Amino acid sequence: MDPQGEGGGQRINATVIASVALGVLVLILVGMMLWGSRSSENDRLTGDEVSASAGDPSSLCSGEATSAAIRTAIFQQAAELRGSDQAALAKIASAASVRMEAAVLRDEGTDGSVTCNGTLTLDLPPGVAAGGKSSLSADVLYTVQQGAGSDARTVTLTDASAIVGPLSSIATTAPENTDPLSNTTTNGVDVITPPDPLAPQPEAAGGPSFNCANARTAGEAAVCDDPNLAALDRRMSAQFAGALAQASPEQRELLIRTRNEFLGYRDQCTENACIADTYRGRMREIRDIMTGDWHPQR
């Protein structure tokens, strides 16, 4: 074999190896330059990335924690409307279940809250009925605020009168020969009877059933300014909602038609005593419509 040829091949191999090594070195240097050009800001998540890592805000609209907070808010409003039996209602709340279906995110607040709407179903424990029903369902609007813990929620209900109204007139089915005024319990729940809307009741703190910021008539303004009239309005509204929940089509038509007449009479009053009498008359009217004893005035 030609020794010159062998030496030439060795020189060629050495040249190739040197070229590869140089290429690798260049790549290492370029990589180091690129890495060094990164600022500390490059290692931080952007606002969008942080938001995404925290989860979808719409997830606050549903889930077990939100359902539990909704149940608490519903029974709190019902207790305020009822004005009595808070302890019994608390026991019923602990045994009731809530389902939120088709929950949709409507708005995000600057404080981290979300406003949602969905179809709410409240299932009452056995032996308990609200408006003659053991299950209540309605479309509701509500705002959810995340608390300090992962499962902490605070819910504000904006439009849940279709459930809160009947719930405030709740009653349990007492066993036969049971005194409803005793401390007997049914299925672990205190036996309570529906409140008589016409019976005298202690004044409860709070405004009327409507938002006073939207008061337009003289009657509405008077009710907002007088705690006694506001209490009458809450009682009448709870009775009305409960009646609607169990009314026949004919009764429902009467309830709605006579409501418009009642509002007209109320807003014509020039004294609070007249407004109070109008509310009491309306509550008797609702009762008579539901018992079949109502007759149109001639």
Side-chain angles (χ1 to χ4, degrees):
M1 180 178 291
D2 184 0
Q4 295 296 326
E6 183 178 352
Q10 290 177 348
R11 286 196 296 272
I12 292 173
N13 290 339
T15 302
V16 172
I17 292 173
S19 299
V20 171
L22 180 61
V24 171
L25 179 61
V26 169
L27 289 175
I28 292 175
L29 290 174
V30 171
M32 292 176 65
M33 291 175 62
L34 291 174
W35 181 262
S37 66
R38 289 173 57 88
S39 69
S40 60
E41 296 298 324
N42 296 131
D43 295 327
R44 298 180 182 178
L45 290 174
T46 64
D48 290 339
E49 290 169 329
V50 170
S51 176
S53 66
D56 184 358
S58 65
S59 64
L60 287 175
C61 293
S62 58
E64 292 184 6
T66 297
S67 294
I70 289 174
R71 179 181 61 188
T72 298
I74 286 175
F75 276 90
Q76 284 178 344
Q77 288 194 8
E80 291 173 1
L81 278 175
R82 187 181 183 96
S84 62
D85 297 315
Q86 280 84 356
L89 285 173
K91 287 187 177 182
I92 294 173
S94 66
S97 64
V98 166
R99 303 192 310 275
M100 179 60 69
E101 299 174 342
V104 177
L105 175 66
R106 290 302 183 190
D107 191 22
E108 296 183 51
T110 56
D111 58 352
S113 64
V114 295
T115 299
C116 321
N117 75 285
T119 301
L120 173 65
T121 300
L122 173 67
D123 295 318
L124 297 169
V128 181
K133 299 179 180 179
S134 60
S135 182
L136 302 170
S137 183
D139 291 334
V140 298
L141 184 69
Y142 56 102
T143 300
V144 185
Q145 177 69 60
Q146 174 70 59
S150 60
D151 291 335
R153 305 278 194 280
T154 300
V155 168
T156 301
L157 295 166
T158 303
D159 183 17
S161 58
I163 290 181
V164 173
L167 195 58
S168 66
S169 62
I170 201 168
T172 60
T173 304
E176 191 174 352
N177 299 324
T178 296
D179 180 2
L181 301 180
S182 70
N183 292 326
T184 305
T185 61
T186 301
N187 296 315
V189 177
D190 289 350
V191 175
I192 57 177
T193 55
D196 181 358
L198 301 179
Q201 296 182 11
E203 179 183 322
S209 63
F210 56 88
N211 188 345
C212 286
N214 299 325
R216 296 291 181 267
T217 67
E220 289 176 340
V223 171
C224 289
D225 291 339
D226 189 309
N228 292 318
L229 293 180
L232 281 173
D233 180 84
R234 292 195 302 272
R235 289 165 55 188
M236 185 277 296
S237 296
Q239 181 195 18
F240 178 74
L244 280 179
Q246 55 183 318
S248 66
E250 294 77 13
Q251 289 172 325
R252 177 180 289 271
E253 188 276 330
L254 274 177
L255 287 168
I256 294 175
R257 176 164 59 84
T258 54
R259 174 187 61 183
N260 297 333
E261 296 173 355
F262 150 72
L263 293 174
Y265 291 140
R266 182 198 64 184
D267 293 341
Q268 290 176 5
C269 289
T270 57
E271 297 180 355
N272 286 4
C274 171
I275 295 177
D277 287 341
T278 303
Y279 270 102
R280 295 188 185 97
R282 174 57 175 165
M283 287 189 280
R284 286 191 293 269
E285 184 175 60
I286 294 173
R287 180 193 61 191
D288 290 345
I289 289 174
M290 298 307 295
T291 58
D293 295 328
W294 181 82
H295 301 286
Q297 298 180 354
R298 298 183 180 278

